[in-house]
Amino acid sequence: MSTAVFPGSFDPPTNGHLDVITRAAAAFDEVIVAAGVNQSKQRLFSVEERVEMLTELAAAVSASTGGTVRVGTFEGLLVDYCRAEGAGVIIKGLRSGGDYDYELQMAQMNRKLSGVDTLFVPAAPENGYISSSLVKEIAKLGGEVSAFLPPSVHARLLAKLG
């Protein structure tokens, strides 16, 4: 069984994340969407809230693709999490050349540390400019962000921002 891990903060999960999850589910027997837990970072959504949102999305992707998508959390080194889960591949979505420059170095280090490879998935053109940070900033300023988020995530974001 081939298992891949798609790590991220997912604060909140966007349509770009959902696209990468769906595409990875078509390529691997199992995809673990792993929300990072970093107590030093300030997040809008708690890890529990992010896991709830991702679990809803994972269930929908599993149902539509026939693949297995599950959600987990990790703290510390991603490669340690991959080893513990039996995953041989890390999935990374790329929006731009800047993402590639950063992620390539990380991929090379992860491979050296553990032998775990990284597969880069280029963003679909309609999602290439979407980031969780930008969506949150626009929403906090009263802008319309429904086109960038799955409907259930959009509803949670609006409720969170009051």
Side-chain angles (χ1 to χ4, degrees):
M1 174 185 263
S2 61
T3 300
V5 171
F6 178 39
S9 61
F10 307 107
D11 186 39
T14 68
N15 288 338
H17 293 129
L18 183 57
D19 178 57
V20 172
I21 295 166
T22 302
R23 291 160 65 193
F28 293 92
D29 296 323
E30 178 180 48
V31 175
I32 304 167
V33 181
V37 178
N38 185 339
Q39 303 301 339
S40 67
K41 288 196 174 183
Q42 188 74 354
R43 307 262 189 234
L44 179 62
F45 291 96
S46 70
V47 68
E48 295 81 13
E49 291 170 318
R50 291 182 284 138
V51 166
E52 286 175 11
M53 289 184 282
L54 290 167
T55 299
E56 290 172 11
L57 300 177
V61 172
S62 290
S64 69
T65 65
T68 300
V69 181
R70 65 183 173 93
V71 177
T73 61
F74 74 97
E75 193 167 5
L77 289 176
L78 176 59
V79 293
D80 289 342
Y81 180 77
C82 289
R83 275 192 218 119
E85 293 292 337
V89 176
I90 297 167
I91 303 290
K92 289 294 195 144
L94 299 178
R95 293 173 301 209
S96 69
D99 285 352
Y100 177 77
D101 289 341
Y102 173 78
E103 294 295 350
L104 178 62
Q105 184 178 19
M106 190 70 68
Q108 292 168 333
M109 181 61 78
N110 285 338
R111 186 159 192 259
K112 181 68 175 174
L113 288 172
S114 67
V116 175
D117 265 322
T118 300
L119 177 67
F120 296 128
V121 178
E126 63 272 17
N127 297 320
Y129 56 90
I130 301 172
S131 73
S132 295
S133 299
L134 192 52
V135 167
K136 285 187 294 192
E137 185 176 339
I138 293 167
K140 285 177 184 176
L141 295 172
E144 176 55 49
V145 295
S146 62
F148 313 127
L149 302 167
S152 62
V153 173
H154 182 247
R156 284 179 183 245
L157 178 61
L158 293 181
K160 180 67 98 172
L161 296 176

